[in-house]
Structure formats: structure tokens, C-alpha cells
């Protein structure tokens, strides 16, 4: 039998143009030109696990695509996955199927904080965290991360100060997007202590929990919680198996009152959740995608290591660190001494790269760019070479 790292070809070029791909077909709308390598929105350029594709083909061969419900097999596949991969025991009754993590962030704000009450986020963070609080009329309380010894950390004293300001909900990103941290047991336990002290609900977005690199172990916050702690966990196969377009996720909450509050929020938004293809992809990915994921993790880790080595050797004005998780890397471009507007223009026009500006992750992202390394290595190396040439030209002109 082949080693799992040899069973899947992540170097295979796959043309995504013309598929209504946000990442590729929206380049001109987002960057003002289609002449950029797209390394921004968080999906990968890899084919989904073959078992998922085959199952979707088989489902499509049935010519009726009617209203669907969530079968018990879907719940069982997810529960088994988290028990096996994460040692987290989930009761069937704890699960609420949801139409994606972003709608779930909005639902959590509606369910657990009244208009005007505080919602805490830890910036720099995935932009929908900001939108979930502001667009639902909740009061945004920022608890910025800080850097010590080159590593992002939580400011727990400031988190307590935020909690004292009438906060009802903490939106936790774990592992963290975009800084790539896997929070330690000590950090997560401290969050639970603060939540307990101030009666906060913690919504833990664990969508990247399966994408953790060697030397690190992700711990589910809910698995560390004590009886009575109010923790809602968001999970999905979307990032793990590269099926984000399927738009299906799950929320896990041990408290029945919290589950009812979430369900009422979804009902108020009148969001349809089930379609026959998302159900199929969700269940089959968790049942049959493990070998593919193990191979993917090796490939992504090698990509991340290559980026770190290339930047250190060829572009020392840009700084980055090996992420502990996710296929996203956080590039510190502050030494280029550009404003955020200039930095965005530089990446587009000079480097011909489409990345996410750090400022979109909050004020603490100023001077940064987020790089998606979930692509074939040859394209990623091409992107790095274009960036190195652009930085070199900039240095000569300066």
C-alpha cells in the first residue's frame, strides 16, 4: 500500500477560471485587474477528496433534487470524526446543523447579546467577526492580541476589562485566522475562567481545527469546559476538505437553552440549510476523507516551510513565522515603509499578487498581508519570486 503522502497529487494544475470561482473569477472586481496570482480568499486550489467527488456524482445521477433533511448518518459521521481525531465526545442532542460559520457568527450575536450589549473579538481576526457584531447592532469590544518573542498571545487582563464593559459574548477564533496560532490548554483554560467569572457565552470558531501542523495539538475549548460553562463550538468540513462552497456547518452546544436560542436566531433569518449535495459532501468527507487530509497536511506544511525559508533568504524586509495551523500566513510588511493603501497597490501592480490586506482584519493588521498557501507549490514559488523581484525594484527606486 502506498504511503498516504503519495496517494494524492496536490501539484496537479486545475483550471478554476470560468467556474464562478470567487478566488479566480472575481479578481478584476476585487483587485482592478485579472493579472494577479490569486492567493487571497480562503479556499484551496486542490481537488476535494476523491470519495467526496464520487459520492456527489452518484447523487447527481439521481435526477430529483428535492427538499432534504439531515440524516442521522450525517450526525454520526461528524461525531465519530471528532471523537477519533480530537478525543472530543459529542452527544447527538448537542448538535445544531447550520448554513455555514459566518451566518452562525451572526446568529450567535443575535442569540446571546441584546442590541447594544457587548461582543468581544480578538483582533486581528477574520473580518466577518467584526461584521457579525456591527451588523446585528451589538457593541463591538476589541481585545487585541499582542506579540511577545515573535508570537501572538492573548491579552487576558484586557479581556477581563472588556468583559466588565457589559459584554455578553466572546467570539473566539481557534486556531486563529490570520495569525496561525494554536491556543494552548493554559490559554484556553484562562478564557474559560474569565467567561465563568463574567457569565460570558464563548462562541468558538474551530473551523480550522483539523489543519494543525506537526509539533502542535489543537484542543477543543468545549472539551476543556466544566458543567455549566456556556460554550458553543462551530465546526465544518469546509476548510478541512476544501468544500466551502457547500455551505454547511454544525454548532455544538451542551446547553439546551443555548441551542434553542441559536435555532430561534436561524429561524428569524429564514435561512434554508439543507441541499442534497451539501449533505452528501458533509457526511462522506468525515467518513472517508482522513487519508486525503493526512496527505494534505504534509503538503501544506512543506509549503509553509518553503515560504518561510524563501522570505528569510530572498525578501528579508518582509517577516513571517511558521504557522502552527491553517493554510494562511501572516506577512509583516511594515519594513517596506508603505501606507496600507500603498502596500495594497504595490502587491497588485508591482508584484502582481492578489492577497488580503491586513487592515481588513482590524487596525492591528496595519502593515500586514495575508497569504493563502493552499495552492500547488510551483504557483506559490512563482508568487514568491514575483514578490522578491518587486521588493528589489522598490528598494532600488527608493
Amino acid at each position: 500500500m502506498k504511503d498516504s503522502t503519495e496517494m494524492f497529487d496536490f501539484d496537479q494544475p486545475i483550471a478554476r477560471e470560468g467556474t464562478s470561482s470567487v478566488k479566480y473569477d472575481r479578481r478584476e472586481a476585487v483587485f482592478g485587474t485579472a493579472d494577479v496570482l490569486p492567493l487571497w480568499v480562503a479556499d484551496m486550489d486542490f481537488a476535494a477528496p476523491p470519495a467526496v467527488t464520487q459520492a456527489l456524482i452518484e447523487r447527481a445521477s439521481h435526477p430529483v433534487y428535492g427538499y432534504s433533511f439531515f440524516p442521522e448518518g450525517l450526525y454520526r459521521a461528524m461525531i465519530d470524526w471528532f471523537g477519533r481525531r480530537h478525543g472530543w465526545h459529542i452527544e447527538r442532542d448537542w448538535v445544531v446543523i447550520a448554513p455555514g460559520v459566518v451566518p452562525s457568527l451572526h446568529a450567535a450575536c443575535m442569540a446571546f447579546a441584546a442590541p447594544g450589549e457587548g461582543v468581544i473579538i480578538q483582533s486581528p481576526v477574520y473580518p466577518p467577526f467584526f461584521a457579525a457584531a456591527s451588523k446585528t447592532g451589538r457593541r463591538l469590544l476589541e481585545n487585541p492580541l499582542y506579540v511577545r518573542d515573535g508570537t501572538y498571545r492573548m491579552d487576558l487582563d484586557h479581556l477581563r476589562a472588556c468583559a466588565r464593559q457589559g459584554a455578553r459574548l466572546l467570539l473566539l477564533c481557534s486556531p486563529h485566522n490570520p495569525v496561525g496560532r494554536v491556543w494552548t490548554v493554559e490559554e484556553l483554560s484562562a478564557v474559560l475562567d474569565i467567561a465563568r467569572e463574567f457569565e460570558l457565552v464563548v462562541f468558538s470558531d474551530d473551523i480550522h481545527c483539523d489543519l494543525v501542523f506537526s509539533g502542535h495539538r489543537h484542543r477543543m475549548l468545549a472539551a476543556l469546559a466544566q458543567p455549566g460553562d456556556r460554550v458553543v463550538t462551530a465546526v465544518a468540513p469546509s476548510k478541512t476538505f476544501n468544500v466551502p462552497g457547500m455551505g454547511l456547518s454544525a454548532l455544538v452546544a451542551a446547553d439546551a437553552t443555548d441551542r434553542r436560542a441559536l435555532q430561534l436566531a436561524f429561524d428569524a433569518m429564514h435561512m434554508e440549510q439543507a441541499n442534497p449535495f451539501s449533505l452528501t459532501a458533509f457526511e462522506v468527507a468525515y467518513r472517508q476523507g482522513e487519508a486525503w487530509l493526512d496527505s494534505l497536511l504534509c503538503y501544506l506544511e512543506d509549503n509553509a516551510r518553503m515560504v518561510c525559508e524563501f522570505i528569510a533568504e530572498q525578501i528579508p524586509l518582509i517577516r513571517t513565522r511558521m504557522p502552527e495551523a491553517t493554510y494562511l500566513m501572516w506577512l509583516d510588511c511594515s519594513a517596506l515603509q508603505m501606507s496600507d493603501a500603498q502596500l495594497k497597490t504595490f502587491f497588485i501592480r508591482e508584484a502582481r499578487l492578489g492577497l488580503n490586506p491586513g487592515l481588513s482584519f482590524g487596525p492591528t493588521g496595519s502593515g500586514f498581508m495575508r497569504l493563502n498557501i493552499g495552492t500547488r507549490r510551483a504557483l506559490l514559488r512563482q508568487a514568491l519570486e514575483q514578490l522578491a523581484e518587486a521588493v528589489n525594484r522598490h528598494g532600488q527606486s527608493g
Side-chain angles (χ1 to χ4, degrees):
M1 180 177 179
K2 289 184 178 180
D3 182 84
S4 65
T5 60
E6 301 175 355
M7 293 170 62
F8 307 98
D9 183 8
F10 297 107
D11 289 312
Q12 176 189 5
I14 300 175
R16 299 186 61 188
E17 293 86 349
T19 63
S20 298
S21 162
V22 169
K23 188 175 182 182
Y24 281 78
D25 294 329
R26 295 277 297 168
R27 280 180 288 182
E28 188 159 5
V30 173
F31 301 106
T33 175
D35 185 27
V36 292
L37 295 181
L39 299 167
W40 60 300
V41 67
D43 67 16
M44 296 183 283
D45 292 332
F46 309 131
V52 172
T53 300
Q54 185 58 39
L56 289 170
I57 291 170
E58 292 174 4
R59 179 60 188 88
S61 70
H62 189 293
V64 180
Y65 313 118
Y67 293 116
S68 303
F69 66 94
F70 303 115
E72 285 303 309
L74 178 148
Y75 293 92
R76 190 73 259 160
M78 187 200 87
I79 290 168
D80 289 348
W81 175 269
F82 282 95
R84 184 172 67 253
R85 295 283 296 201
H86 296 279
W88 180 31
H89 173 73
I90 301 172
E91 295 284 350
R92 163 65 180 81
D93 291 344
W94 297 353
V95 182
V96 177
I97 301 299
V101 172
V102 172
S104 298
L105 290 166
H106 288 250
C109 289
M110 295 166 62
F112 303 122
E117 290 187 324
V119 174
I120 303 170
I121 66 170
Q122 297 176 310
S123 58
V125 73
Y126 181 48
F129 277 51
F130 294 88
S134 61
K135 290 185 177 181
T136 58
R138 277 59 183 172
R139 183 161 50 95
L140 183 65
L141 298 170
E142 286 194 55
N143 169 224
L145 304 177
Y146 71 96
V147 179
R148 188 175 72 202
D149 299 327
T151 299
Y152 277 90
R153 303 175 190 275
M154 295 188 198
D155 188 336
L156 297 171
D157 290 335
H158 187 266
L159 177 57
R160 282 193 175 85
C162 288
R164 291 190 185 98
Q165 298 179 46
R168 304 301 304 155
L169 174 67
L170 166 64
L171 301 179
L172 178 71
C173 195
S174 178
H176 195 279
N177 168 16
V179 307
R181 272 299 315 277
V182 175
W183 304 119
T184 64
V185 170
E186 291 75 20
E187 288 167 315
L188 294 174
S189 296
V191 167
L192 287 171
D193 287 342
I194 294 169
R196 212 172 286 130
E197 179 181 354
F198 293 96
E199 299 183 346
L200 291 174
V201 177
V202 183
F203 180 98
S204 185
D205 173 5
D206 289 51
I207 196 171
H208 290 100
C209 66
D210 294 310
L211 300 172
V212 175
F213 297 140
S214 58
H216 303 280
R217 181 189 174 193
H218 176 76
R219 296 297 297 267
M220 311 298 296
L221 183 73
L224 301 174
Q226 299 175 9
D229 289 343
R230 298 180 65 191
V231 176
V232 177
T233 307
V235 295
S238 54
K239 304 300 182 188
T240 303
F241 302 105
N242 201 34
V243 289
M246 292 295 172
L248 195 63
S249 65
L251 300 177
V252 182
D255 187 281
T257 302
D258 290 344
R259 294 195 300 274
R260 284 194 295 271
L262 288 164
Q263 193 60 63
L264 285 171
F266 285 125
D267 291 346
M269 291 188 280
H270 302 285
M271 300 190 73
E272 294 292 335
Q273 299 177 21
N275 75 65
F277 298 104
S278 62
L279 300 180
T280 298
F282 188 109
E283 180 172 348
V284 173
Y286 278 135
R287 286 199 185 282
Q288 300 181 47
E290 195 155 16
W292 181 92
L293 173 61
D294 289 340
S295 184
L296 171 73
L297 287 171
C298 293
Y299 192 89
L300 289 176
E301 189 163 353
D302 285 345
N303 271 4
R305 193 173 294 110
M306 182 193 75
V307 170
C308 288
E309 292 172 356
F310 187 100
I311 287 178
E313 294 170 4
Q314 304 293 330
I315 326 175
L317 284 176
I318 294 177
R319 291 172 293 175
T320 192
R321 287 178 64 88
M322 185 74 183
E324 297 170 359
T326 82
Y327 52 82
L328 306 164
M329 294 186 68
W330 196 227
L331 308 184
D332 182 352
C333 305
S334 56
L336 295 178
Q337 298 183 332
M338 299 181 190
S339 69
D340 287 292
Q342 290 170 331
L343 188 62
K344 180 179 178 181
T345 299
F346 171 79
F347 268 78
I348 295 170
R349 295 184 182 174
E350 300 298 325
R352 304 192 320 282
L353 300 176
L355 275 65
N356 295 93
L359 200 59
S360 65
F361 299 86
T364 51
S366 178
F368 287 80
M369 299 292 285
R370 191 188 74 170
L371 169 69
N372 180 344
I373 64 168
T375 191
R376 55 193 177 90
R377 195 158 298 137
L379 188 145
L380 185 58
R381 186 168 188 88
Q382 179 186 341
L384 292 169
E385 290 171 351
Q386 289 178 197
L387 181 56
E389 291 171 4
V391 170
N392 184 52
R393 287 194 303 270
H394 172 72
Q396 292 174 350
S397 64

